Amino acid sequence: MSYIDKEILINVSTKETRVAIVEDSKLVEMFIERPENERTIGNIYAGYVDNILDGMNSIFVVLGDVQNGFSHLGDFKNDLLPTEILSGKYSFQSIDEDITLIDSQDKEKKRLKKKDKVLVQVIKESIGSKGPRITSNVTIPGRYVVLIPNDRGVKISKKISNPSVRRKLNKIVKNLIPDNFGVIVRTAAENKDSQAFTNDIINTYNIWKKVVKEYKKAEEPTLLYKDDNLAASIVRDLFNEDVSRMIVDSKDLYNDIQEYIRNNAPELEDNLFLHDDGDPIFDKYHNISKDYYKSLAREVYLKNGGSIVIDHTEALVAIDVNSKRYIKKRSHEENSYNINLAAAREIVRQLRLRDMGGLVVIDFIDMHDNDNKAKIFNEMKNLLKLDKAKSSIEPISRFGLIEMTRQRLKPSIVQTIFEDCPTCSGKGIVKSKESISIQLDRWLKNYKFVTNNAAVDIAVNKELQKYLENRENSIIQEMMIKNWIKVNFIINNSLNLYDFKCYESGTEKEITREYAN
């Protein structure tokens, strides 16, 4: 894959921190952290088992101040830390010694029951009413390694592909880890020496010792370790030799990052810049603000005249590719291919930018040439390699569809910035006034038939009252005559335009649902 100029821009305000990832001068990812949705991924808790549902293969754990966490029961039991791992008695191997491995039969794994204390870590943010996803396979991330208390040996990032480099790293690291621990060597460690690994392993190991100490003392659900905030985690996980520059508009944050990289990656210090000239950072560089909000529209226009339409449903994300104004003096097949190619590139960008996850179905413009279909599929597959979220993608089907899944770790950026419309509850449509008036007529007819009462109070929005009353032939007048009932309107503008509530006449007893049909 050709060289990509990558930049990271960080904007800090009193209400939020925003991090933009730019590739070849184009915004591809945006992260937002606000006080009300502070990240919990990576946090480690002393939790207490709240419920075990064997039939659903699920376990629910009380974490304290956040929603109860959940996990698949089978995985949770398999990864549960043995008693000896939580004893807190560890020592480093000599540089020349081999790692002593614990035989799996020595691991004490008790049967889980309600109110048991367990050590867990959040691996997926809560989304809507669903609590955070947790694991009992706790890890401690550093800049160059991830320390795994319940594992063995050395695993190396797949992005480090050179066999000789992998062998060298394995040889360096395997003699540095504490007894009965495993590590994952991260991509940023590709050219590092043993001293860098020693420092990182000592730091992560000390964090683990503190976690164990606090866990042993915890007698109620307790946060034991809080992972780095958004900006710090971006510096730890993404700021490496592939980033040409990182620009920060906060002096305090700039100083913190500068100190961190001096201690951990001094070769990157010349790539860190402070933006302090007064202009908003996202306006000055790459027109990020304008591009960002334009990109979050339901319909995103392509430079060649086509467009993609993105719709979120409960089960999946549906993306439709349209030709729009794209007209060239070429064959239909060639025109379709060119639109689909531009759409494929923009769709991958949108997946990253909006952080969309779960099942995604893309409806491309029909093509007949199998080679063209394969080119579109391969283009998307190659571009997805730049995405840190895991994904799985299928070739274009005979119906012109690509089906894919993308890892979802947190609510999408759309869910962070927007909320459902209170009138339509996020559906995008509401009942017409005519439909509401018919619904009200049916309600009155049923209410009169069941109770034979002579009057009823109905609360409506002012606009709906005008529609029902202020017409040449008053709709509500016809309803009252037909059903032989007196309707007293109560104006309640907190109700949405297309809703009503019914009460027994002269009381506050609501009876809307009781007589609905």
Side-chain angles (χ1 to χ4, degrees):
M1 190 168 285
S2 58
Y3 169 77
I4 293 175
D5 182 32
K6 187 172 181 179
E7 300 168 80
I8 300 176
L9 294 91
I10 304 179
N11 165 239
V12 179
S13 67
T14 55
K15 293 291 186 181
E16 67 179 7
T17 297
R18 298 185 296 169
V19 178
I21 310 295
V22 177
E23 293 176 356
D24 290 337
S25 301
K26 199 167 185 68
L27 177 67
V28 294
E29 291 186 66
M30 178 75 84
F31 304 92
I32 297 177
E33 185 173 66
R34 294 171 177 167
E36 66 270 17
N37 62 358
E38 213 171 52
R39 52 184 266 138
T40 60
I41 287 182
N43 289 358
I44 299 174
Y45 295 85
Y48 283 79
V49 176
D50 181 55
N51 204 359
I52 298 173
L53 302 176
D54 291 290
M56 296 181 64
N57 191 32
S58 298
I59 182 169
F60 296 86
V61 177
V62 180
L63 303 179
D65 293 337
V66 297
Q67 287 177 277
N68 286 5
F70 76 96
S71 180
H72 294 305
L73 182 59
D75 294 339
F76 194 88
K77 283 183 175 180
N78 289 337
D79 295 331
L80 198 64
L81 288 170
T83 304
E84 66 269 21
I85 292 292
L86 290 173
S87 67
K89 298 175 181 177
Y90 306 106
S91 61
F92 276 98
Q93 296 283 9
S94 162
I95 198 74
D96 298 319
E97 287 182 294
D98 291 329
I99 300 170
T100 304
L101 302 178
I102 297 179
D103 190 48
S104 59
Q105 66 185 11
D106 294 333
K107 294 185 177 182
E108 265 187 53
K109 289 193 178 177
K110 60 182 180 180
R111 181 177 175 83
L112 283 171
K113 59 184 184 298
K114 272 191 175 186
K115 298 185 180 180
D116 276 350
K117 184 167 76 167
V118 287
L119 188 71
V120 299
Q121 185 169 36
V122 175
I123 57 173
K124 183 178 177 181
E125 299 282 10
S126 58
I127 299 175
S129 59
K130 186 182 289 187
R133 179 83 172 268
I134 57 174
T135 179
S136 55
N137 187 22
V138 174
T139 62
I140 309 291
R143 179 165 178 81
Y144 301 121
V145 300
V146 178
L147 190 68
I148 312 175
N150 194 23
D151 204 359
R152 301 169 177 173
V154 178
K155 299 181 178 70
I156 297 174
S157 167
K158 292 178 181 178
K159 292 183 179 179
I160 301 176
S161 55
N162 187 309
S164 63
V165 174
R166 292 177 68 88
R167 284 194 297 271
K168 176 188 171 186
L169 291 172
N170 186 72
K171 185 177 180 180
I172 292 173
V173 175
K174 75 174 184 178
N175 291 318
L176 295 176
I177 45 183
D179 293 353
N180 314 321
F181 280 76
V183 297
I184 298 172
V185 177
R186 308 184 74 169
T187 308
E190 187 167 3
N191 301 311
K192 298 303 171 185
D193 57 19
S194 61
Q195 187 59 50
F197 286 112
T198 301
N199 293 339
D200 214 33
I201 290 172
I202 289 174
N203 289 338
T204 52
Y205 176 71
N206 285 336
I207 291 172
W208 170 250
K209 287 200 296 184
K210 291 178 183 176
V211 167
V212 171
K213 182 180 178 181
E214 294 303 315
Y215 175 79
K216 291 163 76 174
K217 293 192 299 184
E219 296 181 354
E220 59 183 18
T222 306
L223 174 63
L224 306 175
Y225 165 75
K226 184 170 179 57
D227 197 18
D228 291 335
N229 62 28
L230 174 61
S233 66
I234 291 291
V235 174
R236 182 191 68 200
D237 299 339
L238 298 181
F239 191 27
N240 53 40
E241 290 85 353
D242 295 334
V243 178
S244 62
R245 60 178 179 172
M246 172 181 278
I247 308 172
V248 185
D249 69 357
S250 162
K251 180 67 173 175
D252 289 341
L253 181 59
Y254 173 84
N255 290 337
D256 290 343
I257 295 173
Q258 189 176 53
E259 182 180 358
Y260 176 85
I261 61 177
R262 278 177 179 169
N263 294 329
N264 295 276
E267 70 278 6
L268 297 177
E269 190 170 355
D270 290 341
N271 294 359
L272 177 66
F273 299 89
L274 175 65
H275 171 77
D276 60 357
D277 66 3
D279 292 338
I281 187 173
F282 283 179
D283 290 341
K284 180 169 182 178
Y285 298 98
H286 311 298
N287 208 15
I288 289 174
S289 289
K290 183 178 179 182
D291 185 31
Y292 177 58
Y293 285 103
K294 188 169 65 175
S295 295
L296 290 181
R298 177 174 176 263
E299 184 168 20
V300 179
Y301 294 93
L302 308 174
K303 285 186 177 179
N304 65 8
S307 74
I308 59 173
V309 177
I310 302 172
D311 286 311
H312 297 257
T313 72
E314 191 72 25
L316 53 83
V317 176
I319 303 178
D320 186 38
V321 179
N322 297 316
S323 59
K324 285 291 186 179
R325 304 183 305 275
Y326 185 86
I327 301 173
K328 298 286 184 182
K329 293 182 179 179
R330 298 172 183 166
S331 67
H332 172 76
E333 180 72 19
E334 191 173 355
N335 286 339
S336 298
Y337 170 74
N338 288 332
I339 298 169
N340 285 339
L341 184 62
R345 291 167 178 163
E346 182 61 28
I347 286 167
V348 174
R349 175 178 175 252
Q350 288 293 327
L351 290 173
R352 297 174 64 188
L353 182 57
R354 299 176 188 230
D355 201 11
M356 294 184 286
L359 178 62
V360 181
V361 178
I362 306 160
D363 184 10
F364 284 101
I365 298 171
D366 287 341
M367 296 179 294
H368 301 292
D369 190 325
N370 287 332
D371 287 342
N372 285 341
K373 292 180 181 179
K375 288 176 184 176
I376 298 298
F377 168 70
N378 289 330
E379 181 72 10
M380 284 198 69
K381 193 173 181 180
N382 287 331
L383 289 172
L384 285 168
K385 291 177 182 177
L386 297 172
D387 186 7
K388 67 182 186 303
K390 296 177 183 177
S391 59
S392 176
I393 183 169
E394 294 294 319
I396 295 180
S397 72
R398 64 191 182 96
F399 301 111
L401 304 175
I402 274 187
E403 296 169 302
M404 63 170 290
T405 59
R406 184 175 183 270
Q407 183 182 27
R408 175 162 43 200
L409 297 178
K410 58 186 176 65
S412 73
I413 206 74
V414 172
Q415 291 172 297
T416 301
I417 293 177
F418 301 101
E419 58 184 30
D420 286 345
C421 166
T423 300
C424 69
S425 302
K427 296 176 183 176
I429 54 174
V430 293
K431 286 184 179 179
S432 65
K433 292 175 183 174
E434 289 81 0
S435 297
I436 291 295
S437 66
I438 292 169
Q439 183 180 341
L440 178 57
D441 185 40
R442 285 200 299 264
W443 190 94
L444 289 172
K445 182 178 181 181
N446 192 49
Y447 178 68
K448 180 67 177 181
F449 176 78
V450 173
T451 67
N452 201 32
N453 287 342
V456 66
D457 296 341
I458 299 180
V460 293
N461 185 287
K462 182 69 175 176
E463 290 301 312
L464 182 57
Q465 184 217 12
K466 286 182 181 178
Y467 172 78
L468 294 171
E469 286 187 338
N470 296 353
R471 290 185 53 152
E472 209 168 288
N473 297 314
S474 171
I475 296 174
I476 195 64
Q477 194 72 27
E478 291 179 9
M479 292 181 188
M480 289 193 290
I481 293 172
K482 184 173 71 173
N483 296 296
W484 204 243
I485 189 171
K486 175 76 168 72
V487 172
N488 304 307
F489 277 132
I490 302 169
I491 304 304
N492 182 353
N493 288 324
S494 66
L495 291 174
N496 71 53
L497 184 56
Y498 305 97
D499 196 9
F500 61 85
K501 289 185 177 180
C502 304
Y503 302 86
E504 284 187 0
S505 183
T507 75
E508 294 182 357
K509 181 183 177 182
E510 187 182 347
I511 53 175
T512 316
R513 291 187 179 182
E514 192 175 343
Y515 299 100
N517 61 358

